[in-house]
Amino acid sequence: MDQKEHIEALKDIRQMMQRSVRFLSLSGLSGIFAGIYALAAAYLAYLKLESGAGRTDARGTLIYLMALALGCLILAIGTAFFFTRKNARKKGLKLWDESARLAFINLSIPLATGGLFAIALIRAGAIGFVAPATLVFYGLALINASRHTFPMIRQLGILEILLGLIAAFVWGHGLLFWAIGFGLLHIVYGLFMYFKFERA
Amino acid sequence: MKEWVHQLNKAFENRVRLGIMSVLMVNEAVSFNRLKELLGVTDGNLASHLRALEKLEYVEMKKTFLDRKSHTTYDVSTLGRKAFTEHLNALESLLKP
């Protein structure tokens, strides 16, 4: 074996280790769109709250806000699925393999916990803690899943947790922090991933 | 450094075996089908290389039953981990100028 063969062998090893552990079809475009939906939802929520509906019809406003958040989540997941499937096809990889399954499960556990916890907070009337809690749990979910996808997802998770913690202590700007965390950060990281891994 | 440390292991010269070991080094309990999917090789080819690695005691096979269907998974043994790490070190040291 000569030098070139050794380099090839090492490259093979590295690629096989990566591909068997990490789900690399995740498209940056899904992040960009998720961010746009989140910003739109945050804007609609802002308008609703500014109209003073929160005082005149508290129950209706709460349902409106929850419907907004849920709609935003469903749209984001649908779009992520669409772009990620396209990306997997382009790379000739299977969309749903062992690494995708591991990434999904590890993301889902903290995320579902956070969702249920947020419902408990709403029931207890601690509405102000919903934005910080969802940001913190989402960040933990990303860190948990990052071992099975792009390592930069871990960074995003840390930023989400920091934002959530700040929002928990700086009172009364929940919506703003929520818009930064779910809107702006998704767009920034989505753009970065798209140009780094998909355009080139 | 002792000479033998830089010795390449003949057992890992084949690409399929190199692939099997790479996957098993970073994953636990990998199924036969998952290995096949990752390496893109035929059943027979994969089975014969797995058997060779098992014979060397680098790889351990585990059979479990899931809904009455047998499910075979593979893991790297302690010996296999050591041998593969040494092989990697040898590869790297050969590339050093």
Side-chain angles (χ1 to χ4, degrees), chain B residues 4-96:
Chain B
W4 60 268
V5 174
H6 299 304
Q7 207 93 113
L8 288 171
N9 191 332
K10 282 251 191 281
F12 303 132
E13 257 175 26
N14 178 283
R15 273 183 91 125
V16 179
R17 289 189 200 174
L18 209 61
I20 294 171
M21 292 304 290
S22 308
V23 173
L24 295 184
M25 286 291 279
V26 290
N27 290 278
E28 274 169 58
V30 184
S31 73
F32 188 86
N33 285 336
R34 173 68 174 151
L35 276 172
K36 203 174 80 173
E37 176 188 302
L38 280 166
L39 302 173
V41 289
T42 61
D43 278 26
N45 194 355
L46 179 58
S48 77
H49 285 300
L50 276 170
R51 220 171 305 131
L53 290 171
E54 263 181 80
K55 222 169 165 185
L56 290 164
E57 291 177 8
Y58 287 167
V59 164
E60 287 163 354
M61 183 184 74
K62 226 178 265 159
K63 259 198 166 89
T64 48
F65 283 86
L66 258 174
D67 299 327
R68 287 201 211 160
K69 262 191 276 174
S70 84
H71 184 69
T72 314
T73 59
Y74 295 89
D75 274 299
V76 64
S77 68
T78 315
L79 184 68
R81 194 170 286 279
K82 194 169 156 257
F84 195 65
T85 309
E86 275 165 12
H87 183 70
L88 280 182
N89 289 340
L91 270 177
E92 268 166 6
S93 70
L94 283 171
L95 288 175
K96 267 183 211 132

Side-chain angles (χ1 to χ4, degrees), chain A residues 3-19:
Chain A
Q3 197 88 340
K4 226 174 115 194
E5 265 176 275
H6 295 325
I7 295 176
E8 279 302 305
L10 279 173
K11 228 197 257 168
D12 269 6
I13 292 167
R14 194 165 303 132
Q15 198 199 12
M16 204 39 80
M17 284 181 169
Q18 276 248 328
R19 206 200 301 164

Side-chain angles (χ1 to χ4, degrees), chain A residues 20-21 96-103 148, chain B residues 27 29 34 37:
Chain A
S20 66
V21 176
W96 193 249
D97 65 2
E98 187 64 17
S99 48
R101 196 179 66 84
L102 286 172
H148 296 288
Chain B
N27 290 278
R34 173 68 174 151
E37 176 188 302

